[in-house]
Amino acid sequence: MNTITISLIGMGAIGLAMALFLLIAYKKLKVHEDPRIDQIDEILPGANCGACGYPGCRHYAEAIIKENAPINLCTVGGPDVTDAIGKLLGIEAEAITPPVAVVMCQGDESVAPRRAKYHGASSCRIEHFTTNGDKFCTYGCIGLGDCVEACQFDAMYMGENGLPVIIEDKCTGCGLCAEACPRDIIEMVPRDQKLFVLCKNKDRGALARKYCKVACIACGICVKNAPEGTMEMKDNLAIILDYKPLNDPEVGNLLQEKCPTNTIVYRE
Amino acid sequence: MSLFIIIIATVLVNNFVLSYFLGICPFLGVSGKASSAIGMGFAVTFVMTFTAAITWLIKYKILIPFHLPFLEYVSFILIIASLVQFVEMFLKKSVPGLYRALGIYLPLITTNCAILGMALLGSLRNYNFIENLVFGFGAGIGFTLALVIMAGIREELEFADVPKPLQGAGITLILAGLLALAFMGFSGMISGG
């Protein structure tokens, strides 16, 4: 017999022996678990993304049964999963609409000039912490795609202009990309929000304008034109306090038009 | 070499964690609380002792008689993986609290380099069966010792005023380095251990 055959037989025998040993151990040591945990585990998407707050789908399934965790935490599965679990357990819960990720930066290469050329490891996080990015704007997108890499649902890609693009239909709202971004440029927003301030720059207006053509320069025109209490200026940046009144097409389009740097965008 | 010297050598002088730097992942990951450190230590000791016994048998009763020494790595990994599976089932059944506390680190014992390192070192040193068994047991106890010392220090550290940039992983790594330095005091006590 040649060496290969002997190796195969030898390893096969060892493997078989261990398998038998484990099989016997499994029979003896089987733990009786609530069968519903398995059933819930099967309903859950199995992405183990952690959006529900538990380390994985299995842990969430256990938490539902043992700790009475709410059944609507899975944003990935959305209402379908919540319904299915609810049916299984005989309870009803209001399904939540998952949020959607939005890239709060429009500073592509044509509008946000670079101050240097970065040659380090291809990771936003590393570039951010070692060199603070290669653009003048130190709040904007670095463009190396840590977020795209973090996305488990193929809902993102790097656009040709060097900014990540989110495919909203595929976005499950798990928030992994927002976590991956070292500059917190990606935000999870409600799906029905239509008006966005697409900038994170907190520099003073003159500087911000120099660093990026579409930066918020903190002129305050939007705050003056928006319904009271819906927007305010904070740290040289316009922020939205209450998005619902701003969804009105008239208000939204007005604000978009008035913004001198096109930072404010109204999406129908 | 007497069995006693093997024990002293593996537990103190050539401690697997603090002088060979094997098994650092659980050493840093599970040393937050003394109770789970002890549990992890004993789980590893158990796996190591049985791995030492079974790998010795495999090596001298199967691999060498059939001229298959190149299968050492593969078969050792197979043994370790099976034993970890067994420990996992056992803990889930009898000590569910510990099972939850160890979490992901329990299946990760499979890939714990301290265990494969122990099996390969033991095989390299041509120990006899009893010596190899003691070597495996000693390595496990040494691992437990390192883990428990670390956990003790980290529990005290909760009350210390650690500078902000060093909090968490930073101070833990510094501690691990200091602890390894302290264990270097044992070096030279036994030659060739």
Side-chain angles (χ1 to χ4, degrees), chain A residues 3 6-8 10-11 14-15 18-19 21-23 25-31 33 58 62 66, chain B residues 54 58 62-63 66-68 70-71 74-75 78-79 81-83 85-86 89-94 100:
Chain A
T3 319
I6 304 178
S7 319
L8 284 176
M11 281 308 289
I14 298 174
M18 291 325 274
F21 161 69
L22 282 180
L23 190 72
Y26 178 71
K27 287 262 150 82
K28 294 256 179 224
L29 295 173
K30 198 170 175 185
V31 179
E33 268 189 331
R58 177 90 200 170
E62 279 172 14
K66 292 182 185 160
Chain B
I54 300 175
I58 298 257
I62 298 178
L63 298 184
F66 290 100
H67 308 292
L68 302 167
F70 54 86
L71 286 181
V74 189
S75 51
L78 189 69
I79 303 292
S82 316
L83 281 173
Q85 277 292 311
F86 174 72
M89 284 185 224
F90 178 76
L91 284 184
K92 199 172 178 184
K93 171 90 178 171
S94 16
R100 266 198 303 278

Side-chain angles (χ1 to χ4, degrees), chain B residues 6-28:
Chain B
I6 294 185
I7 285 265
I8 293 293
T10 46
V11 174
L12 293 178
V13 185
N14 293 328
N15 187 293
F16 267 69
V17 178
L18 296 171
S19 84
Y20 287 163
F21 303 111
L22 294 170
I24 296 293
C25 166
F27 175 60
L28 298 178

Side-chain angles (χ1 to χ4, degrees), chain B residues 20-44:
Chain B
Y20 287 163
F21 303 111
L22 294 170
I24 296 293
C25 166
F27 175 60
L28 298 178
V30 199
S31 56
K33 270 204 333 238
S35 54
S36 51
I38 292 175
M40 182 69 177
F42 283 135
V44 169

